[in-house]
Amino acid sequence: MPQFLSMIWPGRATSRGKLADAARWHPLEIGFWVLALALLWLLPTRLLLLNEIAILALFALSLDLILGYAGIVSLGHAAFFGLGAYIAGLLARHGMNDPILGLLAAGAGAGLLGLLSSFLVLRGTDLTKLMVTLGVALILRELANKFDAITGGADGLTGVTMGPVLGLFEFDIFGSTAYLYSLSVLFVLFLVARQLVHSPFGLMLRAIKGNSLRTSAMGVPTNLRLVTIYTIAAAYAGIAGGLLAQTTQFVSLDVLDFHRSADVLLVLVLGGSGLLWGAIIGAVAFKLMYDWLAAITPQYWQFWVGMALVAIVLFGRGGLLGLAGMLRDRLRGLGGRA
Amino acid sequence: MLTILFDGFAYGMLLFVLACGLSITLGLMNFINLAHGAFAMAGGYLTVVLMNRYGVSFFLCLPAGFIATAFLGAILERTLYVHLYGKSHLDQVLFSIGLVFMAMSAIDYFMGAQQQLITLPDSLRGRIDLFGISIGVYRLFVIGICLLLAVALQLVLSKTRFGSQLRAAVDDPRVAQGLGINVNLIFSLTFAFGSGLAGLGGVLGAEILGLDPGFPVKFMIYFLVVISVGGTTTLTGPFLASILLGIADVAGKYYMPKIGSFIIYTIMVLVLIWRPQGLFGRATAR
């Protein structure tokens, strides 16, 4: 469609026009957010699950920024999630229980760690990246385990009590405030990410992912761009972790586990990486699948998760959104012929 | 002190046997296989089943573990892994994590989540005194086997025709193919052999490392540390790296139990910052 337009109105072919085209809202997108808000009243009994979905979607969104857009492979993204969770949890435990301030602190702390570790991560090959990201997450987990006087160690951090959001909305046991809170944070950060990836900065990231040698020859400060997006993504993950700590009022070592880093990878490839919606659709699909499998086989659901990973890699490229795109193209083809 | 050094050495040798198959896979085809530990686990569990259910001798389990996992490796390589050689590292990572998850749940389903124990034969139990150092017989046995394997591997790689073909394929698969070397066949054989070694390591390590369904994830990091610190271009690199790692790990856990494993990860990250190709690896174009 954009190509067709650019033939009629050459003005549309400018880069600014192309960016604006790509950033235009699709009606389905608006529909999704309206539905997500409506679920607050439609599914009042499943709000805790919905809250987890929103948090997982934010976490996957953060991974999407570095993996899908900048092409940085990470096996330790849980490091930032966990750090954010502990920061938010510890702040609330020691009396500073305003949720928004806690989230900002979690994001800032994780972002700082992201900035520092980005210089390590951006060196070397894919294998080195995998190892360093994994190493950073493991070091944090060891630290959280050893300093159990502060973090609660293997028993977890308890006694996290939260004040009302914005001084108005108290957290309740049904999770309606929690879901609304997480969903709003997800929505705001989604808007920011959307703006980011459709900006010249986002296009540059894609170019770096495609061929970093060429982009640096073109004069793009490749490393600076990657450091920036890594830091932003780390802050996103920290905020997601902070949300989990605040809404569940508990932090355990599990937030830094290897499984969490692997699961979020699965979420992203399930939904389709390199598309912001991939993270959200992936989180919905993953949590529903998890919920369903855990009900059938509480102990062995991981087997099916593994099988899903293998199947996606072998057969399905682009995840659910890729599949949807293919179907749409098929249907269009049929429509054109008829 | 010397006993710790000795135990660390035994531990390191074990790590070498477990990890060297992975080093070849990574070096040869540039394939990131995180499921390597699952093959070791398969060898370990095979031993548990053979010994505890059918009363097979431990010494018979060693070759059995090797052959069975090598066979398993060959089948998986031909059916699944072969589709992933040309794919991105991300795909390889996802695929092998998927395999690990499946293997862990399958073991959990069939064998239960508890730690598995094997009883070593009498001839391998107890300790002996050597030059005033108290040495576990079994650890001595492990070191003996692993040293033999390391020497044999080095000889095969450096002296035989297969070894030189393999090294040629490592250096430049395309030119090697052009010279009439069947790179695919060599890779299949090497993959199977590496899996077999992992299985053998699993048999040997069942008593020292412990065996439960979490094994592949728990030790994956150790294998990767060995490979990334040692580099993938030679066998000597991973060999030295695993001995270093073994001694550092055992000594660290003994002297500073609070921060023992923390040291290892920190060293790994530092080495990777300092020399991304590994301590002993040479820089390659890839």
Side-chain angles (χ1 to χ4, degrees):
Chain A
M1 190 70 171
Q3 276 165 358
F4 170 70
L5 275 178
S6 70
M7 278 193 296
I8 306 175
W9 296 304
R12 300 293 299 175
T14 58
S15 51
R16 200 170 289 273
K18 280 230 166 99
L19 276 176
D21 270 350
R24 189 154 299 152
W25 281 82
H26 193 278
L28 272 181
E29 294 184 74
I30 299 165
F32 175 88
W33 290 109
V34 171
L35 180 69
L37 187 64
L39 284 179
L40 194 60
W41 294 278
L42 293 178
L43 279 179
T45 51
R46 309 304 301 274
L47 290 176
L48 294 175
L49 179 73
L50 289 171
N51 178 43
E52 283 179 32
I53 293 180
I55 293 171
L56 185 65
L58 183 58
F59 188 29
L61 190 66
S62 125
L63 183 68
D64 200 12
L65 285 179
I66 60 166
L67 180 70
Y69 287 92
I72 304 171
V73 198
S74 168
L75 261 188
H77 210 51
F80 308 117
F81 186 83
L83 183 68
Y86 272 108
I87 289 177
L90 283 170
L91 278 180
R93 193 195 146 99
H94 295 290
M96 214 203 76
N97 52 12
D98 182 71
I100 306 283
L101 281 182
L103 269 197
L104 290 178
L112 187 66
L113 179 72
L115 178 68
L116 293 178
S117 61
S118 66
F119 298 104
L120 320 180
V121 171
L122 297 178
R123 297 168 56 100
T125 55
D126 277 356
L127 178 66
T128 322
K129 281 181 189 136
L130 288 175
M131 295 300 308
V132 173
T133 49
L134 183 62
V136 169
L138 284 170
I139 289 174
L140 275 192
R141 191 179 187 282
E142 283 300 314
L143 284 177
N145 192 16
K146 299 302 176 196
F147 289 100
D148 46 6
I150 304 171
T151 63
D155 296 334
L157 183 73
T158 49
V160 179
T161 47
M162 296 314 302
V165 182
L166 296 173
L168 294 174
F169 307 98
E170 288 278 356
F171 284 101
D172 55 289
I173 52 165
F174 307 106
S176 51
T177 310
Y179 175 57
L180 195 59
Y181 175 47
S182 301
L183 188 68
S184 323
V185 173
L186 173 68
F187 181 63
V188 170
L189 289 179
F190 178 81
L191 289 186
V192 174
R194 205 170 180 285
Q195 208 64 38
L196 201 67
V197 300
H198 290 308
S199 69
F201 174 76
L203 276 188
M204 240 181 261
L205 284 180
R206 286 178 176 222
I208 291 171
K209 182 188 177 192
N211 190 334
S212 60
L213 207 61
R214 279 190 198 171
T215 48
S216 51
M218 280 161 60
V220 177
T222 310
N223 261 347
L224 187 68
R225 294 284 177 272
L226 291 178
V227 166
T228 312
I229 193 67
Y230 200 76
T231 308
I232 295 175
Y236 266 55
I239 292 174
L243 277 179
L244 184 73
Q246 292 180 342
T247 53
T248 59
Q249 315 212 333
F250 178 71
V251 187
S252 70
L253 277 182
D254 178 61
V255 292
L256 286 164
D257 228 20
F258 172 71
H259 283 293
R260 208 168 271 277
S261 304
D263 281 352
V264 73
L265 267 176
L266 171 63
V267 167
L268 194 53
V269 293
L270 191 66
S273 76
L275 299 158
L276 291 180
W277 281 102
I280 293 176
I281 301 295
V284 174
F286 179 84
K287 271 290 175 190
L288 291 182
M289 188 174 83
Y290 172 89
D291 204 48
W292 178 61
L293 284 175
I296 307 172
T297 59
Q299 206 180 343
Y300 311 111
W301 65 274
Q302 215 178 38
F303 182 85
W304 304 104
V305 171
M307 193 174 248
L309 269 174
V310 171
I312 288 173
V313 172
L314 286 181
F315 307 112
R317 289 309 302 144
L320 289 176
L321 280 186
L323 209 65
M326 224 163 67
L327 274 179
R328 190 191 56 201
D329 291 347
R330 281 271 167 82
L331 287 177
R332 280 221 179 123
L334 285 179
R337 235 173 287 154
Chain B
M1 167 69 198
L2 283 173
T3 312
I4 292 169
L5 210 62
F6 184 81
D7 280 1
F9 189 65
Y11 190 47
M13 297 299 295
L14 204 54
L15 281 181
F16 171 70
V17 171
L18 282 166
C20 66
L22 185 61
S23 130
I24 298 173
T25 323
L26 258 172
L28 177 59
M29 293 299 279
N30 202 12
F31 186 93
I32 298 181
N33 180 17
L34 297 182
H36 195 69
F39 290 103
M41 182 171 74
Y45 272 97
L46 184 75
T47 314
V48 169
V49 170
L50 283 180
M51 282 181 72
N52 295 353
R53 292 221 183 127
Y54 302 101
V56 179
S57 137
F58 180 72
F59 297 104
L60 270 180
C61 287
L62 289 173
F66 178 82
I67 294 168
T69 43
F71 200 62
L72 184 69
I75 294 174
L76 284 181
E77 199 271 341
R78 277 295 95 193
T79 51
L80 293 177
Y81 279 90
V82 78
H83 300 296
L84 287 152
Y85 290 151
K87 295 215 176 172
S88 69
H89 282 154
L90 174 66
D91 280 345
Q92 296 169 354
V93 165
L94 292 170
F95 170 77
S96 48
I97 290 180
L99 277 192
V100 167
F101 280 179
M102 286 166 79
M104 283 166 59
S105 299
I107 288 288
D108 194 2
Y109 180 74
F110 287 112
M111 306 289 297
Q114 75 279 19
Q115 184 101 15
Q116 299 287 337
L117 299 169
I118 57 167
T119 331
L120 293 172
D122 286 336
S123 52
L124 290 178
R125 271 186 287 183
R127 304 181 82 84
I128 52 167
D129 232 33
L130 207 68
F131 311 119
I133 319 168
S134 164
I135 287 175
V137 178
Y138 182 62
R139 288 192 160 62
L140 197 64
F141 175 72
V142 167
I143 291 184
I145 290 194
C146 296
L147 268 184
L148 268 179
L149 274 175
V151 172
L153 277 177
Q154 185 62 37
L155 282 180
V156 167
L157 273 183
S158 58
K159 300 286 184 211
T160 61
R161 187 179 172 76
F162 181 77
S164 40
Q165 287 181 341
L166 178 59
R167 277 179 295 132
V170 170
D171 277 346
D172 195 327
R174 282 184 65 184
V175 174
Q177 186 98 44
L179 287 172
I181 296 172
N182 190 342
V183 175
N184 286 337
L185 180 69
I186 287 193
F187 187 59
S188 292
L189 285 176
T190 317
F191 189 92
F193 193 74
S195 313
L197 281 180
L200 182 63
V203 179
L204 282 172
E207 204 264 341
I208 297 181
L209 306 177
L211 194 62
D212 61 66
F215 186 90
V217 169
K218 217 183 321 173
F219 286 95
M220 176 185 81
I221 178 72
Y222 282 83
F223 303 153
L224 289 175
V225 170
V226 167
I227 304 301
S228 52
V229 171
T232 51
T233 39
T234 56
L235 265 188
T236 340
F239 182 75
L240 293 176
S242 29
I243 292 174
L244 270 180
L245 178 67
I247 294 176
D249 197 35
V250 170
K253 281 191 177 134
Y254 186 81
Y255 289 114
M256 295 167 279
K258 271 237 138 188
I259 50 169
S261 32
F262 176 68
I263 292 178
I264 305 250
Y265 304 142
T266 316
I267 290 178
M268 175 193 82
V269 170
L270 289 180
V271 165
L272 286 177
I273 297 164
W274 178 42
R275 293 203 53 173
Q277 296 293 337
L279 269 187
F280 309 99
R282 60 199 147 108
T284 51
R286 273 183 290 201

